[in-house]
Amino acid sequence: MSGISAPSRSVRAAPLAPKSFVLKGELIRPIALTVADLRARWGQHRADVVFDCAKNGPQHHTFEGPLLRDVVGDARPAFDPVRRKDRSRFLLAVTGGDGHRTVLSWAEIDADFADSPILLATALDGRGLDMAGSQLVVPSDRCGARYISAITSVWVGSCAFADL
């Protein structure tokens, strides 16, 4: 046995791929998007928010990202854009990487209705979310239950009403 050992090989982990999410449902142009896509294709808005977190108490953060309305609007929801009542029956269901989900109505983000500046965040407190994934930010909410982290999908579709 000699005192010579074989050269050690360092094993490098493959670089992590940025997280993406799918925009799907009743859309003319469904698409998969990354945080980089959100940053490059739409104007960035800033929201300084305070919300109560059930586990950690009050949270103070600054988010940046495009408006949900702009991103989903470019995917062309399958409603007649000039008919307000047609738009008002659409919902958006957002799912996060941890399985957390929330539902919004199109009327919440539509300029003819509530016109809420809801974001698909690309940055949190000045740090990019490329590896963590985009986050849904609802600045008007007092609690953080609709802040969805690491978005995996946004489904857009009409609400079916049962006759009561």
Side-chain angles (χ1 to χ4, degrees), residues 6 8 12 20 42 48 50 71 96 98 104-105 108 141 157 159 164:
S8 65
R12 280 195 231 183
S20 65
W42 292 277
D48 294 312
V50 177
V71 175
D98 62 357
L104 305 158
S105 72
E108 287 182 81
D141 283 4
C159 177
L164 299 176

Side-chain angles (χ1 to χ4, degrees), residues 13-157:
L16 295 173
K19 301 238 185 217
S20 65
F21 68 90
V22 292
L23 188 54
K24 60 186 181 177
E26 294 179 44
L27 301 168
I28 294 170
R29 294 190 302 233
I31 189 170
L33 295 166
T34 64
V35 169
D37 295 330
L38 294 173
R39 195 178 292 113
R41 295 175 61 182
W42 292 277
Q44 302 296 289
H45 298 260
R46 182 181 171 133
D48 294 312
V49 300
V50 177
F51 60 88
D52 286 326
C53 175
K55 293 180 183 175
N56 300 317
Q59 301 292 303
H60 303 263
H61 293 291
T62 299
F63 291 95
E64 294 175 38
L67 294 173
L68 176 62
R69 167 184 60 234
D70 293 344
V71 175
V72 175
D74 282 355
R76 305 223 5 238
F79 53 62
D80 183 346
V82 298
R83 295 184 58 219
R84 290 182 181 131
K85 287 185 180 180
D86 198 27
R87 295 187 325 245
S88 71
R89 66 186 175 85
F90 268 64
L91 301 173
L92 300 99
V94 182
T95 303
D98 62 357
H100 188 89
R101 297 176 182 190
T102 197
V103 176
L104 305 158
S105 72
W106 182 266
E108 287 182 81
I109 62 174
D110 192 297
D112 284 339
F113 295 96
D115 197 19
S116 294
I118 296 172
L119 301 180
L120 291 171
T122 60
L124 165 61
D125 298 330
R127 293 183 313 275
L129 293 172
D130 298 79
M131 300 315 271
S134 185
Q135 182 168 341
L136 183 72
V137 176
V138 187
S140 60
D141 283 4
R142 293 185 331 198
C143 79
R146 294 198 300 174
Y147 281 64
I148 305 294
S149 299
I151 296 171
T152 57
S153 70
V154 177
W155 174 88
V156 180

Side-chain angles (χ1 to χ4, degrees), residues 1-7:
M1 212 183 236
S2 79
I4 300 174
S5 61

